[in-house]
């Protein structure tokens, strides 16, 4: 199983990149992954929100194969405890899919095309976070999930 | 209304401190606050979890006045959307309390003494985060709440 992370837009603060790089470094010991960062939409100020979402969708869809298990990080998604999230990830790892694609969208959410393609929606919290924060949270939780699956001591119940 | 933040233990990565300092700097424009960092419990490896929580409680309780509105960040707490959290904070700001104290505990949760003293429990997510992450999330959400209350454009619905 290969994990594909599709992230929209660069983080604009190096400190976030540092922490994310730290979690990604730790994740290497547990999973095989590839990270794709979609550039920010150009001239974003001069286009409508729906046009913005369509352009992001064009870029995202290029990286998704027909056979992929596509999971969106979305406020409307299913919420988990960390332990339940670990179970979710563990099940995914044992599925017949060859690739699981996690997509972290831009500030306005996803185009309908992306929702229709998705196999599932997950949410890290009922709260809204900046795109930098949500990445941090996601990678920390994915790392935590791995330590839970492996029975390591990072996580306290 | 004065905000008091009681945090247990230092963050052990400077990059986290940097991001937290950034949000705290922004918060200065909206609220009057004081931050108290409780040192990590000494010899933590040689004491039981309940002893650990009691020692933390001893340190926390010193900074709480009888008249304070005390809110714990706790996994069992009430969850909010960012907009509902802003409403919660807005109401707090208009209350008759002189001080609102937010307590972010250690890795094992709080001693019963602290739960009994608390006026409320809030949760940022159903997930468990490292103590560094939870601070980051809390201060980002508090900053977001302020921008929502003031009608500024940081938050997108």
């Amino acid at each position: 199983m290969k994990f594909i992370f599709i992230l929209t837009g660069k983080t604009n603060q190096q400190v976030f990149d540092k922490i994310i790089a730290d979690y990604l470094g730790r994740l290497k010991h547990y999973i095989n992954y590839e990270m794709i960062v979609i550039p920010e939409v150009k001239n974003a100020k001069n286009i409508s929100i729906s046009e913005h979402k369509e352009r992001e969708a064009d870029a995202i869809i290029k990286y998704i194969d027909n056979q992929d298990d596509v999971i969106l990080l979305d406020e409307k998604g299913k919420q988990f405890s960390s332990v339940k999230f670990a179970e979710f990830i563990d099940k995914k790892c044992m599925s017949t899919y060859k690739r699981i694609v996690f997509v972290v969208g831009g500030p306005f959410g996803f185009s309908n095309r992306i929702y229709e393609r998705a196999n599932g929606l997950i949410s890290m919290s009922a709260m809204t976070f900046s795109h930098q924060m949500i990445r941090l949270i996601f990678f920390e939780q994915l790392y935590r999930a791995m330590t839970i699956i492996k029975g390591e001591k990072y996580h306290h119940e």
Side-chain angles (χ1 to χ4, degrees), chain A:
Chain A
M1 166 74 75
K2 187 169 186 182
F3 285 68
I4 313 290
F5 307 125
I6 302 181
L7 314 173
T8 325
K10 290 192 177 168
T11 56
N12 53 25
Q13 286 183 273
Q14 275 194 343
V15 279
F16 277 94
D17 290 333
K18 271 193 185 170
I19 304 179
I20 291 168
D22 175 43
Y23 287 120
L24 285 170
R26 300 189 204 185
L27 276 168
K28 257 184 210 156
H29 304 290
Y30 301 93
I31 57 171
N32 178 16
Y33 67 79
E34 187 182 331
M35 173 122 99
I36 294 147
V37 178
I38 305 267
E40 305 239 0
V41 168
K42 282 177 191 160
N43 293 316
K45 282 185 180 168
N46 302 319
I47 59 172
S48 67
I49 288 178
S50 69
E51 176 62 24
H52 192 124
K53 292 197 280 190
E54 289 313 313
R55 289 196 197 170
E56 273 181 0
D58 290 339
I60 291 166
I61 227 90
K62 275 185 210 161
Y63 294 97
I64 296 175
D65 294 342
N66 284 339
Q67 290 79 24
D68 290 346
D69 189 9
V70 178
I71 309 294
L72 310 183
L73 268 77
D74 189 275
E75 284 164 51
K76 296 184 285 289
K78 186 171 159 54
Q79 287 180 41
F80 299 91
S81 69
S82 296
V83 169
K84 291 284 173 198
F85 183 59
E87 288 170 12
F88 170 83
I89 294 293
D90 198 26
K91 264 186 207 161
K92 291 290 181 191
C93 289
M94 293 183 292
S95 78
T96 54
Y97 285 102
K98 287 215 178 78
R99 307 198 331 156
I100 180 166
V101 181
F102 289 97
V103 191
V104 187
F108 307 112
F110 297 101
S111 142
N112 278 339
R113 266 190 294 162
I114 301 293
Y115 285 117
E116 282 158 17
R117 172 60 187 85
N119 300 85
L121 270 64
I122 63 171
S123 167
M124 299 285 114
S125 165
M127 290 175 148
T128 308
F129 296 99
S130 72
H131 71 292
Q132 311 188 102
M133 282 291 292
I134 197 67
R135 286 175 197 190
L136 216 60
I137 291 171
F138 173 67
F139 289 119
E140 198 261 352
Q141 287 300 312
L142 194 57
Y143 169 66
R144 184 177 292 268
M146 291 302 155
T147 67
I148 292 170
I149 292 167
K150 300 285 180 192
E152 294 166 359
K153 68 174 186 175
Y154 177 73
H155 180 77
H156 299 282
E157 237 341 79

